Coordinates of all heavy atoms in Angstrom, one line a residue:
K144 N 0.8 -1.2 0.0 CA 0.0 0.0 0.0 C 0.9 1.2 0.0 O 0.6 2.2 -0.7 CB -0.9 0.0 1.2 CG -2.0 -1.1 1.2 CD -2.8 -1.0 2.5 CE -3.9 -2.1 2.5 NZ -4.7 -2.1 3.7
V145 N 1.9 1.2 0.9 CA 2.8 2.4 0.9 C 3.6 2.5 -0.3 O 3.7 3.7 -0.8 CB 3.8 2.3 2.1 CG1 4.8 3.4 2.2 CG2 3.0 2.2 3.5
L146 N 4.0 1.4 -0.9 CA 4.9 1.4 -2.1 C 4.1 2.0 -3.3 O 4.6 2.8 -4.1 CB 5.4 0.0 -2.3 CG 6.4 -0.1 -3.6 CD1 7.6 0.6 -3.3 CD2 6.7 -1.5 -3.8
L147 N 2.9 1.6 -3.5 CA 2.1 2.0 -4.6 C 1.8 3.4 -4.5 O 1.8 4.2 -5.6 CB 0.7 1.2 -4.7 CG 0.9 -0.2 -5.1 CD1 -0.5 -1.0 -5.0 CD2 1.3 -0.2 -6.6
N148 N 1.6 4.0 -3.4 CA 1.5 5.4 -3.2 C 2.8 6.2 -3.5 O 2.8 7.2 -4.1 CB 1.0 5.8 -1.8 CG -0.4 5.4 -1.6 OD1 -1.2 5.3 -2.5 ND2 -0.8 5.1 -0.3
T149 N 3.9 5.5 -3.1 CA 5.2 6.2 -3.3 C 5.6 6.2 -4.7 O 6.1 7.2 -5.2 CB 6.3 5.3 -2.5 OG1 5.9 5.3 -1.1 CG2 7.6 5.9 -2.7
I150 N 5.3 5.2 -5.5 CA 5.7 5.1 -6.9 C 4.6 5.4 -7.8 O 4.7 5.2 -9.0 CB 6.3 3.8 -7.3 CG1 5.1 2.6 -7.1 CG2 7.5 3.3 -6.4 CD1 5.6 1.3 -7.6
D151 N 3.5 6.1 -7.2 CA 2.4 6.5 -8.1 C 2.8 7.4 -9.3 O 2.3 7.3 -10.4 CB 1.3 7.1 -7.3 CG 0.2 7.6 -8.1 OD1 -0.4 6.7 -8.8 OD2 -0.2 8.8 -8.1
L152 N 3.9 8.2 -9.0 CA 4.3 9.1 -10.1 C 5.1 8.3 -11.1 O 5.4 8.8 -12.2 CB 5.2 10.2 -9.5 CG 4.5 11.1 -8.5 CD1 5.5 12.2 -8.1 CD2 3.3 11.8 -9.3
D153 N 5.6 7.1 -10.8 CA 6.3 6.2 -11.7 C 7.6 7.0 -12.2 O 7.9 7.0 -13.3 CB 5.5 5.8 -12.9 CG 6.0 4.6 -13.6 OD1 6.8 3.9 -13.0 OD2 5.7 4.5 -14.9
I154 N 8.3 7.5 -11.3 CA 9.5 8.2 -11.7 C 10.8 7.6 -11.1 O 11.8 8.1 -11.3 CB 9.5 9.7 -11.2 CG1 9.4 9.8 -9.7 CG2 8.3 10.4 -11.9 CD1 9.4 11.2 -9.1
G155 N 10.6 6.5 -10.4 CA 11.7 5.9 -9.8 C 12.4 4.8 -10.6 O 13.3 4.1 -10.2
E156 N 12.1 4.8 -11.9 CA 12.7 3.7 -12.8 C 14.1 4.0 -13.1 O 14.5 5.2 -13.4 CB 11.9 3.7 -14.1 CG 10.5 3.3 -13.9 CD 9.7 3.3 -15.2 OE1 10.3 3.4 -16.3 OE2 8.4 3.2 -15.1
T157 N 15.0 3.0 -13.0 CA 16.4 3.2 -13.2 C 16.7 3.4 -14.7 O 17.8 3.7 -15.0 CB 17.2 2.0 -12.7 OG1 16.7 0.8 -13.3 CG2 16.9 1.8 -11.2
T158 N 15.7 3.1 -15.6 CA 16.0 3.2 -17.0 C 15.8 4.7 -17.5 O 16.1 4.9 -18.7 CB 15.1 2.3 -17.7 OG1 13.7 2.7 -17.4 CG2 15.3 0.9 -17.4
V159 N 15.5 5.6 -16.7 CA 15.3 6.9 -17.2 C 16.7 7.6 -17.3 O 17.5 7.7 -16.4 CB 14.5 7.8 -16.2 CG1 14.3 9.2 -16.7 CG2 13.1 7.1 -16.0
D160 N 17.1 8.1 -18.5 CA 18.2 8.8 -18.8 C 18.0 10.3 -18.8 O 16.9 10.7 -19.0 CB 18.8 8.3 -20.2 CG 19.2 6.9 -20.2 OD1 19.7 6.3 -19.2 OD2 19.1 6.3 -21.2
E161 N 19.1 11.0 -18.5 CA 19.0 12.4 -18.5 C 18.5 13.0 -19.9 O 17.6 13.9 -19.8 CB 20.4 13.1 -18.2 CG 20.2 14.6 -18.0 CD 21.6 15.2 -17.5 OE1 22.0 14.7 -16.4 OE2 22.2 16.0 -18.1
K162 N 18.8 12.4 -20.9 CA 18.4 12.9 -22.2 C 16.9 12.7 -22.4 O 16.3 13.3 -23.3 CB 19.1 12.2 -23.4 CG 19.0 10.7 -23.5 CD 19.8 10.1 -24.5 CE 19.8 8.6 -24.5 NZ 18.4 8.0 -24.8
D163 N 16.3 11.8 -21.7 CA 14.9 11.5 -21.8 C 14.0 12.2 -20.7 O 12.8 12.0 -20.6 CB 14.5 10.0 -21.7 CG 15.3 9.2 -22.8 OD1 15.3 9.7 -23.9 OD2 15.8 8.1 -22.5
A164 N 14.7 12.9 -19.8 CA 14.1 13.5 -18.7 C 13.0 14.5 -19.0 O 12.0 14.6 -18.3 CB 15.1 14.2 -17.7
K165 N 13.2 15.3 -20.0 CA 12.2 16.3 -20.3 C 10.9 15.6 -20.8 O 9.7 16.1 -20.3 CB 12.6 17.2 -21.5 CG 13.7 18.2 -21.1 CD 14.1 19.2 -22.2 CE 13.0 20.0 -22.6 NZ 13.3 21.0 -23.7
Q166 N 11.0 14.6 -21.6 CA 9.7 13.9 -22.0 C 9.1 13.2 -20.8 O 7.9 13.2 -20.6 CB 10.1 12.8 -23.0 CG 9.0 11.9 -23.5 CD 7.9 12.8 -24.3 OE1 8.2 13.8 -24.8 NE2 6.7 12.3 -24.1
K167 N 9.9 12.6 -19.9 CA 9.4 11.9 -18.7 C 8.7 12.9 -17.8 O 7.6 12.6 -17.3 CB 10.6 11.3 -18.0 CG 10.1 10.4 -16.8 CD 9.4 9.2 -17.3 CE 9.0 8.3 -16.1 NZ 8.3 7.1 -16.5
L168 N 9.3 14.1 -17.7 CA 8.7 15.1 -16.8 C 7.4 15.6 -17.4 O 6.4 15.9 -16.7 CB 9.7 16.3 -16.6 CG 9.1 17.4 -15.7 CD1 8.8 16.9 -14.3 CD2 10.2 18.5 -15.6
H169 N 7.4 15.8 -18.8 CA 6.1 16.2 -19.4 C 5.0 15.2 -19.3 O 3.8 15.5 -19.0 CB 6.4 16.4 -20.9 CG 5.2 16.8 -21.8 ND1 4.8 18.1 -21.7 CD2 4.3 16.1 -22.5 CE1 3.7 18.2 -22.6 NE2 3.4 16.9 -23.0
E170 N 5.3 13.9 -19.4 CA 4.3 12.8 -19.1 C 3.8 12.8 -17.7 O 2.6 12.6 -17.5 CB 4.9 11.5 -19.5 CG 5.3 11.3 -21.0 CD 6.0 10.0 -21.3 OE1 6.4 9.3 -20.3 OE2 6.3 9.8 -22.5
L171 N 4.7 13.0 -16.7 CA 4.3 13.1 -15.4 C 3.4 14.2 -15.1 O 2.3 14.0 -14.4 CB 5.6 13.2 -14.5 CG 5.4 13.5 -13.0 CD1 4.6 12.3 -12.4 CD2 6.7 13.7 -12.4
C172 N 3.6 15.4 -15.6 CA 2.8 16.5 -15.4 C 1.4 16.4 -16.0 O 0.4 16.7 -15.5 CB 3.4 17.8 -16.0 SG 4.9 18.4 -15.0
S173 N 1.4 15.7 -17.2 CA 0.1 15.4 -17.9 C -0.6 14.4 -17.0 O -1.9 14.6 -16.9 CB 0.4 14.9 -19.3 OG -0.8 14.5 -19.9
K174 N 0.0 13.4 -16.5 CA -0.7 12.4 -15.7 C -1.3 12.9 -14.4 O -2.4 12.6 -14.1 CB 0.4 11.3 -15.4 CG -0.2 10.2 -14.5 CD 0.8 9.1 -14.2 CE 0.3 8.1 -13.2 NZ 1.4 7.1 -12.9
K175 N -0.5 13.9 -13.8 CA -0.9 14.4 -12.5 C -1.8 15.7 -12.7 O -2.2 16.3 -11.8 CB 0.3 14.7 -11.7 CG 1.2 13.6 -11.4 CD 0.5 12.5 -10.6 CE 0.2 12.9 -9.1 NZ -0.4 11.8 -8.4
R176 N -1.9 16.0 -13.9 CA -2.8 17.3 -14.3 C -2.1 18.6 -13.8 O -2.9 19.4 -13.3 CB -4.2 17.1 -13.9 CG -4.9 15.9 -14.5 CD -6.4 15.8 -14.2 NE -7.0 14.7 -14.9 CZ -8.3 14.4 -14.7 NH1 -9.1 15.1 -13.8 NH2 -8.8 13.4 -15.4
W177 N -0.8 18.6 -13.7 CA -0.1 19.8 -13.3 C 0.1 20.6 -14.6 O -0.1 20.2 -15.7 CB 1.3 19.4 -12.8 CG 1.2 18.7 -11.5 CD1 0.1 18.5 -10.7 CD2 2.3 17.9 -10.9 NE1 0.5 17.7 -9.6 CE2 1.8 17.3 -9.7 CE3 3.6 17.6 -11.3 CZ2 2.6 16.6 -8.8 CZ3 4.3 16.8 -10.5 CH2 3.9 16.3 -9.3
S178 N 0.5 21.9 -14.4 CA 0.8 22.7 -15.6 C 2.0 22.2 -16.2 O 2.9 21.5 -15.6 CB 1.0 24.2 -15.1 OG 2.1 24.2 -14.2
K179 N 2.3 22.6 -17.5 CA 3.4 22.1 -18.2 C 4.7 22.7 -17.6 O 4.7 23.8 -17.1 CB 3.4 22.6 -19.7 CG 2.2 21.9 -20.5 CD 2.3 22.3 -22.0 CE 1.2 21.6 -22.7 NZ 1.2 22.0 -24.1
P180 N 5.8 22.0 -17.6 CA 7.0 22.5 -17.1 C 7.5 23.8 -17.8 O 7.4 23.9 -19.0 CB 8.0 21.3 -17.3 CG 7.2 20.1 -17.5 CD 5.9 20.6 -18.1
C181 N 8.0 24.7 -17.0 CA 8.4 26.0 -17.5 C 9.9 26.1 -17.4 O 10.4 26.1 -16.3 CB 7.7 27.2 -16.8 SG 8.2 28.8 -17.4
Y182 N 10.6 26.2 -18.5 CA 12.1 26.2 -18.5 C 12.6 27.7 -18.7 O 11.9 28.5 -19.5 CB 12.7 25.3 -19.5 CG 12.4 23.8 -19.4 CD1 11.2 23.3 -19.9 CD2 13.2 23.0 -18.6 CE1 10.9 21.9 -19.8 CE2 12.9 21.7 -18.4 CZ 11.8 21.1 -19.1 OH 11.5 19.9 -18.9
R183 N 13.8 28.0 -18.1 CA 14.3 29.3 -18.4 C 15.8 29.2 -18.2 O 16.4 28.4 -17.5 CB 13.8 30.4 -17.5 CG 14.2 30.3 -16.0 CD 13.7 31.4 -15.3 NE 14.3 31.4 -13.9 CZ 13.9 32.2 -12.9 NH1 13.0 33.2 -13.2 NH2 14.4 32.2 -11.7
V184 N 16.6 30.0 -19.0 CA 18.0 30.1 -18.9 C 18.4 31.1 -17.8 O 18.1 32.3 -17.9 CB 18.6 30.6 -20.3 CG1 20.1 30.7 -20.1 CG2 18.3 29.6 -21.4
D185 N 19.0 30.6 -16.8 CA 19.3 31.4 -15.6 C 20.7 32.2 -15.8 O 20.9 33.3 -15.3 CB 19.4 30.7 -14.4 CG 18.0 30.1 -14.0 OD1 17.0 30.7 -14.2 OD2 17.9 29.0 -13.5
N186 N 21.6 31.6 -16.5 CA 22.9 32.1 -16.6 C 23.7 31.5 -17.8 O 23.4 30.4 -18.2 CB 23.7 31.8 -15.3 CG 24.9 32.6 -15.1 OD1 25.1 33.7 -15.8 ND2 25.8 32.2 -14.3
E187 N 24.7 32.2 -18.2 CA 25.6 31.7 -19.3 C 27.1 32.1 -18.8 O 27.3 33.1 -18.4 CB 25.3 32.4 -20.6 CG 23.9 32.2 -21.2 CD 23.7 32.9 -22.5 OE1 24.7 33.2 -23.2 OE2 22.6 33.3 -22.8
E188 N 27.9 31.1 -19.0 CA 29.3 31.3 -18.6 C 30.3 30.8 -19.7 O 29.9 29.9 -20.4 CB 29.6 30.5 -17.3 CG 28.9 31.0 -16.1 CD 29.2 30.2 -14.8 OE1 30.0 29.2 -14.9 OE2 28.7 30.4 -13.7

């Protein structure tokens, strides 16, 4: 019961790569009915 609530977001998979993170986050927000992720460039060096 605890585990299913914990992994309800389905984000704990070890197969998620950094290059796929934006798509994964977008799917998560859609599933949870959150607003779309908002990205911004904070700094350039």
Side-chain angles (χ1 to χ4, degrees):
K144 292 179 182 179
V145 176
L146 184 64
L147 285 174
N148 290 330
T149 300
I150 62 177
D151 180 54
L152 296 179
D153 197 24
I154 61 178
E156 299 177 7
T157 57
T158 55
V159 178
D160 294 325
E161 185 171 301
K162 60 183 177 60
D163 301 319
K165 288 184 66 177
Q166 178 62 30
K167 186 69 176 179
L168 181 60
H169 178 81
E170 292 172 357
L171 172 61
C172 290
S173 177
K174 175 182 177 181
K175 302 297 291 184
R176 297 184 179 178
W177 296 342
S178 61
K179 293 182 179 180
C181 180
Y182 297 90
R183 71 177 185 184
V184 177
D185 295 325
N186 194 19
E187 300 179 23
E188 294 181 359

